[in-house]
Amino acid sequence: MSTTTYIVKGMTCGHCVSSVKEEVSGVAGITSVEVDLAGGLLTVNSEGPGRAEIAAAVEEAGYELAGQA
């Protein structure tokens, strides 16, 4: 299992956090998701999915994965 923290652009409220968390949690192999609105950070524990799958989920929620923190 690996833990990776990403920077997410565009989140401004609690609904944003919920949307990102819901979409990323739906990716196969994700075991936990934490979103820090103040820091614009997404921390993912996973067993397999890579950056591309996580970026696609963040984009599906309406935000941009800007890179790793």
Side-chain angles (χ1 to χ4, degrees):
M1 182 178 323
S2 65
T3 301
T4 309
T5 301
Y6 300 97
I7 300 166
V8 178
K9 287 188 177 180
M11 296 189 302
T12 59
C13 64
H15 176 72
C16 300
V17 169
S18 296
S19 296
V20 169
K21 197 168 187 174
E22 181 179 335
E23 288 294 334
V24 174
S25 293
V27 175
I30 299 292
T31 57
S32 71
V33 176
E34 294 297 324
V35 180
D36 173 18
L37 177 62
L41 301 175
L42 165 68
T43 302
V44 177
N45 289 315
S46 64
E47 296 177 353
R51 186 183 192 284
E53 291 90 345
I54 294 167
V58 169
E59 289 174 15
E60 183 67 28
Y63 308 96
E64 178 187 351
L65 194 69
Q68 283 187 250

